[in-house]
Amino acid sequence: RKHRFGVYIRDTGGTRKYRSDIIDFIQNTKTDIFCPMLDGGVTTKSCASASIDWLDHTKFDIHLVAETIFNTEKTHLTEKVFKPIVMYQPFILFAGANSLKYMHEYGFKSFGDIWDESYDAEPNADKRFNKIISLIDKISKLTPNEYNALINQTKSIVEYNRKHFYSDKFKNILLSEFKDGLETAINTQEENFYTHPGGTLFH
């Protein structure tokens, strides 16, 4: 049987402590969420956040991305958010505020025209978490026909995102960003050579 949602959780320590609340939600409700960590004690390997188990896309539809940092004022995304994109899956993002907005700046699309993504603009971590949980709960309560119609609406976005991920356009955005960052670092080091003589390497 295919689950409506799926989430990969391995570590709940440090900045990832909020993930224990996701686990509590899964265990204390009847929400249909595929979670290998809770599936008979299956241990998720450390590489699971980056590796793709292609068969998993047949196990669940909507990817719940549990990012490394949630309670943060900065935008911090990792390889985790690209798993659903590669796996042709729609996603809901547990991350810092404005993370979806950040992805839009790189040319990716999200699902705000299909379900409520107002959680992304919520600066308070607790309120943002509750908004995401409410969204998951709302989708979980849809009838089979309503749910299938919703998933069908996501297909064009899912296909667009995967195509964009492997496109020259996205690659060039990353290369340009890397080049600009490297040039800034070199210029800063050269400036420090004159303003901090003898201490350039430490700056």
Side-chain angles (χ1 to χ4, degrees):
R1 183 177 66 86
K2 195 173 187 181
H3 301 271
R4 292 195 175 188
F5 304 94
V7 63
Y8 298 94
I9 292 177
R10 184 182 65 88
D11 189 0
T12 58
T15 60
R16 306 165 181 84
K17 196 171 182 180
Y18 82 94
R19 293 177 181 170
S20 61
D21 293 327
I22 299 176
I23 292 173
D24 288 343
F25 170 72
I26 296 172
Q27 292 178 321
N28 295 326
T29 66
K30 295 182 179 180
T31 309
D32 187 17
I33 301 178
F34 167 77
C35 181
M37 183 180 185
L38 300 177
D39 185 15
V42 174
T43 301
T44 304
K45 297 179 180 178
S46 60
C47 64
S49 63
S51 62
I52 304 294
D53 185 344
W54 183 245
L55 287 179
D56 278 1
H57 89 283
T58 66
K59 297 176 183 176
F60 61 94
D61 291 317
I62 302 173
H63 203 121
L64 306 179
V65 180
E67 266 295 355
T68 304
I69 300 178
F70 183 79
N71 188 1
T72 178
E73 294 182 1
K74 70 177 182 177
T75 306
H76 179 84
L77 295 176
T78 68
E79 74 287 345
K80 297 174 186 65
V81 76
F82 293 112
K83 286 191 73 167
I85 288 173
V86 173
M87 293 169 67
Y88 286 108
Q89 291 175 318
F91 56 87
I92 295 171
L93 184 56
F94 284 92
N98 299 311
S99 291
L100 290 177
K101 181 181 177 182
Y102 184 54
M103 291 187 69
H104 297 163
E105 293 171 1
Y106 280 92
F108 292 98
K109 296 180 181 181
S110 56
F111 307 90
D113 292 334
I114 301 171
W115 55 62
D116 183 9
E117 288 187 334
S118 63
Y119 67 84
D120 187 58
E122 175 54 62
N124 181 280
D126 290 336
K127 291 180 179 179
R128 188 167 64 257
F129 184 88
N130 289 333
K131 280 191 169 190
I132 296 171
I133 292 299
S134 294
L135 172 60
I136 294 169
D137 184 58
K138 183 176 181 180
I139 294 174
S140 71
K141 290 178 179 176
L142 294 176
T143 66
N145 286 340
E146 291 171 335
Y147 176 74
N148 290 335
L150 178 133
I151 291 301
N152 283 333
Q153 285 183 273
T154 69
K155 287 183 178 179
S156 61
I157 297 175
V158 165
E159 290 173 359
Y160 167 85
N161 280 342
R162 193 175 197 272
K163 184 176 180 180
H164 180 62
F165 179 78
Y166 287 108
S167 70
D168 287 339
K169 182 178 180 180
F170 181 50
K171 180 181 73 174
N172 290 335
I173 290 173
L174 298 182
L175 290 175
S176 177
E177 188 176 83
F178 174 74
K179 178 175 177 288
D180 291 344
L182 185 60
E183 287 179 349
T184 299
I186 291 173
N187 291 336
T188 300
Q189 187 182 42
E190 289 179 349
E191 182 180 326
N192 286 339
F193 178 79
Y194 297 102
T195 57
H196 301 280
T200 306
L201 292 179
F202 295 102
H203 289 275

